[in-house]
């Protein structure tokens, strides 16, 4: 026996589609269905050319090298190689830009961008336990940059933050951060704050190089 029920295709409620009802002779009945048409997006001018350029500039790095971060779309291609779909998008980005100087109110040129191709952290302790590069600085009260801890032996020895506050963001790898009297583990995407007057250390506990972004601030 064929059912007399009215069949309705699944609705996209997130777009505002819905069923409308009315009171009928035999109770509530369907009066209509609201459908919202799907807008067809047109590609921007030059989009195909940019896609071809991005595919040609896709970069790969050996497992354990800088840049295998935990961001979306980054991963291994099956051969132990980290693939960055967006690599090369900023090939034309220059580090210097026009900005307003806070003290003078005048326009000046200074470093405000820093594409990954320019990064070149240097060994700090002479034994290769960690590499460091300060990228930005604003007078004496703010600085930021990159910290790299090699796989296996990577370690930033314990030190005091003194009158500085530090914040670290884990880009790649996993680290054990000891802050004051407690140890914590952070994976890609994790962040930490080292308040002023505290001792801290950072150890790489993963099989890959650990890469961290840091910001440093000092009260004047």
């Amino acid at each position: 026996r064929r059912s007399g029920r009215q069949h309705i295709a699944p609705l996209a409620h997130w777009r505002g589609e819905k069923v409308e009802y009315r009171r009928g002779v035999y109770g509530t009945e369907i009066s209509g269905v609201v459908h919202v048409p799907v807008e067809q997006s047109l590609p921007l001018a030059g989009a195909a050319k940019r896609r071809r350029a991005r595919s040609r500039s896709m970069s790969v790095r050996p497992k354990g090298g800088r840049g295998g971060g935990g961001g979306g779309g980054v991963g291994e291609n099956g051969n132990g190689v980290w693939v960055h779909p967006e690599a090369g998008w900023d090939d034309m980005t220059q580090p210097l830009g026009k900005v307003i100087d806070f003290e003078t109110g005048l326009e000046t040129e200074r470093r405000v961008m820093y594409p990954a191709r320019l990064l070149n952290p240097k060994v700090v302790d002479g034994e290769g336990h960690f590499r460091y590069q300060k990228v930005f600085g604003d007078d004496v009260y703010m600085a930021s940059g990159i910290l790299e801890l090699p796989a296996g032996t990577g370690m930033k020895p314990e030190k005091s933050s003194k009158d500085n506050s530090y914040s670290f963001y884990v880009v790649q790898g996993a680290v054990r951060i000891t802050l004051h009297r407690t140890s914590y583990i952070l994976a890609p995407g994790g962040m930490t704050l080292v308040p002023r007057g505290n001792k801290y250390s950072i150890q790489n506990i993963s099989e890959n190089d650990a890469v961290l972004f840091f910001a440093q601030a000092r009260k004047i």
Side-chain angles (χ1 to χ4, degrees), residues 4-217:
R5 293 178 55 191
Q6 184 173 355
H7 295 281
I8 301 173
L11 301 178
H13 299 285
W14 60 91
R15 292 208 308 267
E17 295 186 344
K18 62 181 179 178
V19 178
E20 295 183 336
Y21 298 89
R22 68 185 176 191
R23 186 179 298 277
V25 177
Y26 301 103
T28 302
E29 59 185 28
I30 296 175
S31 63
V33 180
V34 177
H35 288 287
V36 178
V38 179
E39 295 184 1
Q40 299 296 324
S41 59
L42 298 177
L44 297 176
K49 183 182 295 185
R50 288 195 297 271
R51 283 197 297 270
R52 289 195 297 270
R54 287 198 295 268
S55 65
R56 288 195 298 268
S57 63
M58 179 181 294
S59 73
V60 295
R61 294 182 184 274
K63 183 176 180 181
R66 182 173 66 249
V74 180
E76 289 183 271
N77 66 355
N79 297 319
V81 177
W82 293 102
V83 179
H84 291 251
E86 298 85 6
W89 288 20
D90 57 0
D91 280 350
M92 303 302 293
T93 298
Q94 299 301 314
L96 299 181
K98 298 288 188 180
V99 293
I100 296 296
D101 182 86
F102 177 78
E103 297 292 341
T104 66
L106 301 177
E107 186 178 78
T108 185
E109 187 176 63
R110 62 180 298 182
R111 180 190 296 176
V112 290
M113 300 293 156
Y114 211 74
R117 70 177 186 275
L118 301 179
L119 289 173
N120 187 27
K122 303 295 186 181
V123 174
V124 175
D125 59 0
E127 298 181 8
H129 291 317
F130 73 95
R131 298 183 291 268
Y132 158 89
Q133 182 178 2
K134 174 184 172 183
V135 176
F136 296 114
D138 203 345
D139 203 354
V140 296
Y141 58 84
M142 179 268 177
S144 63
I146 289 292
L147 175 69
E148 293 186 347
L149 306 173
T153 61
M155 175 78 177
K156 190 175 190 301
E158 183 181 75
K159 65 172 291 187
S160 173
S161 62
K162 299 181 180 179
D163 59 345
N164 299 282
S165 291
Y166 293 91
S167 183
F168 293 91
Y169 172 83
V170 182
V171 179
Q172 171 185 312
V175 295
R176 176 181 289 108
I177 298 179
T178 302
L179 174 61
H180 187 41
R181 296 188 295 109
T182 308
S183 291
Y184 310 85
I185 291 178
L186 284 180
M191 303 178 69
T192 183
L193 171 68
V194 179
R196 290 179 292 168
N198 283 272
K199 291 183 178 181
Y200 74 99
S201 64
I202 306 177
Q203 179 185 7
N204 184 0
I205 59 173
S206 66
E207 296 180 354
N208 304 306
D209 285 6
V211 181
L212 295 88
F213 167 81
F214 76 86
Q216 171 188 355

